[in-house]
Amino acid sequence: MKKKLFALCSLGILCAFGLTACHSDEKPAAAETADTTQEDTLTPVTLNEVAHSIFYAPQYVAIEEGYFQEEGIDLTLVNGFGADKTMTAVLSGEADIGFMGAEASIYAYQEGANDPVVNFAQLTQRAGNFLVAREEMPGFTWQDLKGSEVLGGRKGGMPEMVFEYILKQNGIDPQTDLSIDQSIDFGSTAAAFSSGQGDFTVEFEPSATSLESEGKGYVVASLGVDSGYVPYTAFSAKQSYLEENPEVIQGFTNALQKGMDFVQTHTPEEIAAVIEPQFTDTDLETITTIITRYYEQDTWAKNLIFSEESFDLLQDILEDAGELAERTPYEKLVNTEFAQKAAQ
């Protein structure tokens, strides 16, 4: 679904019967001119996001607070429903910028992309999913997963790789110590769990909280906490687009940084109130609960700079999962120029 995130300044006149001061032949024309003038000054940018999730709160703050418009950008937001689809949209030119796990850019590079997709801003620094059990488990340890069936994520995707990384860090073999079902589409695991499949499920928000509120599941662990700081999602664009549109990319990054600044200086309640229009199917109380959960685990960094240390950790996780044929040089797929300027 596309959402046109575009704010127009308009001049309005309230005309009522008997109000002789209303001049409909003059001010409406001025309003139309003002609207057209602002529209002509904004640069259209299509952003394809891997999923529409409260996990990405700073981005939605930037949208709702008008930061993209302030930077001269008319933003169209598209839900890609998966990193593979988001990457395809960027490579094909359907999207100008992609928002997804940075591993997708590594895969595309290794497959020989002539115009590599380069990461220029990192949004989240922790995993955003949670392990949900059928019953409350106050003393849960990862060892409790041995012999169980877990509804996992797509092979080669960050959710699944981070999950397996945590298992290995806790001495659990993902192949032999438990059964991980990777056959269920992204976004459908909560429904499958509700219908009786699996002993545990790995869920993003709002699915994790929804399962709890319905009494069908209980969050027993945070993958974001137990995996440590991981470069989970980043904004990227083709190298050619970065070179041809540096002012657009800088403005886009500036807007995101304003969103990051907002979440660093406001409470979860305030953040939730701002992004509520982005999640019309979720009530404000639930949004606040989810924001608080992410807020307390330090999900969002103070800036958007994608460090070399983070990129190396990402490749360590890919190697550990058997998804990396060869390590890729940091400078080939990461550009910190725009994020550094935005942070200043």
Side-chain angles (χ1 to χ4, degrees):
M1 175 180 66
K2 293 190 176 182
K3 292 186 180 180
K4 197 71 174 174
L5 304 161
F6 184 70
L8 299 178
C9 291
S10 60
L11 299 175
I13 296 178
L14 176 61
C15 294
F17 291 115
L19 294 179
T20 58
C22 182
H23 300 290
S24 61
D25 59 335
E26 294 179 4
K27 290 188 177 181
E32 182 178 351
T33 300
D35 289 350
T36 304
T37 299
Q38 182 168 356
E39 181 176 359
D40 290 344
T41 63
L42 296 175
T43 301
V45 173
T46 298
L47 168 63
N48 189 300
E49 59 178 357
V50 63
H52 198 66
S53 171
I54 296 169
F55 183 40
Y56 312 133
Q59 171 182 284
Y60 306 126
V61 167
I63 290 170
E64 294 299 327
E65 290 294 287
Y67 298 150
F68 288 105
Q69 293 95 323
E70 290 177 3
E71 295 294 336
I73 293 173
D74 168 18
L75 188 69
T76 297
L77 183 63
V78 182
N79 190 337
F81 297 101
D84 51 343
K85 297 180 180 66
T86 295
M87 177 56 73
T88 298
V90 174
L91 290 173
S92 69
E94 181 181 338
D96 302 306
I97 297 172
F99 177 55
M100 61 196 128
E103 79 283 354
S105 65
I106 295 177
Y107 295 153
Y109 181 81
Q110 292 190 344
E111 290 171 3
N114 295 324
D115 192 359
V117 175
V118 178
N119 301 283
F120 63 87
Q122 178 186 327
L123 187 75
T124 54
Q125 62 179 1
R126 286 191 185 274
N129 42 2
F130 301 88
L131 183 69
V132 179
R134 293 207 170 276
E135 298 179 357
E136 293 183 276
M137 301 177 67
F140 172 83
T141 70
W142 289 97
Q143 297 297 320
D144 293 330
L145 293 184
K146 286 187 174 181
S148 69
E149 180 183 0
V150 181
L151 306 187
R154 175 178 58 85
K155 185 179 186 300
M158 278 299 287
E160 178 62 25
M161 289 191 296
V162 169
F163 176 50
E164 293 186 14
Y165 176 77
I166 293 172
L167 293 178
K168 292 176 182 177
Q169 292 293 106
N170 285 274
I172 300 172
D173 189 328
Q175 306 301 319
T176 61
D177 288 338
L178 72 165
S179 173
I180 304 176
D181 187 343
Q182 297 179 270
S183 66
I184 304 171
D185 291 338
F186 176 80
S188 299
T189 50
F193 187 73
S194 294
S195 68
Q197 294 187 49
D199 303 305
F200 297 86
T201 183
V202 178
E203 296 294 335
F204 278 97
E205 295 288 14
S207 296
T209 295
S210 294
L211 286 169
E212 282 194 322
S213 63
E214 295 167 3
K216 296 181 178 179
Y218 300 87
V219 173
V220 295
S222 164
L223 275 70
V225 171
D226 290 346
S227 65
Y229 292 110
V230 173
Y232 207 76
T233 46
F235 293 88
S236 56
K238 289 192 290 188
Q239 180 67 44
S240 59
Y241 188 87
L242 296 180
E243 294 173 351
E244 294 166 8
N245 303 277
E247 293 183 358
V248 173
I249 293 295
Q250 188 62 64
F252 183 92
T253 310
N254 291 346
L256 289 173
Q257 183 61 59
K258 293 176 185 178
M260 297 289 272
D261 293 342
F262 187 99
V263 301
Q264 292 292 332
T265 55
H266 290 75
T267 65
E269 290 78 11
E270 292 170 327
I271 298 167
V274 169
I275 71 170
E276 183 183 12
Q278 288 283 321
F279 300 94
T280 56
D281 294 334
T282 307
D283 63 83
L284 182 58
E285 182 179 355
T286 300
I287 294 174
T288 303
T289 298
I290 294 169
I291 288 289
T292 301
R293 188 170 271 166
Y294 284 136
Y295 192 91
E296 292 178 345
Q297 69 177 38
D298 196 24
T299 294
W300 308 294
K302 294 182 179 180
N303 60 57
L304 298 153
I305 299 171
F306 197 153
S307 70
E308 185 167 5
E309 181 181 10
S310 293
F311 190 72
D312 288 341
L313 174 58
L314 172 61
Q315 295 202 90
D316 288 343
I317 293 173
L318 292 174
E319 276 187 337
D320 200 46
E323 298 292 338
L324 189 65
E326 182 179 7
R327 292 182 82 92
T328 302
Y330 171 72
E331 60 275 8
K332 292 288 186 180
L333 294 182
V334 179
N335 182 328
T336 62
E337 172 188 347
F338 305 102
Q340 288 174 342
K341 287 182 180 179
Q344 292 174 354

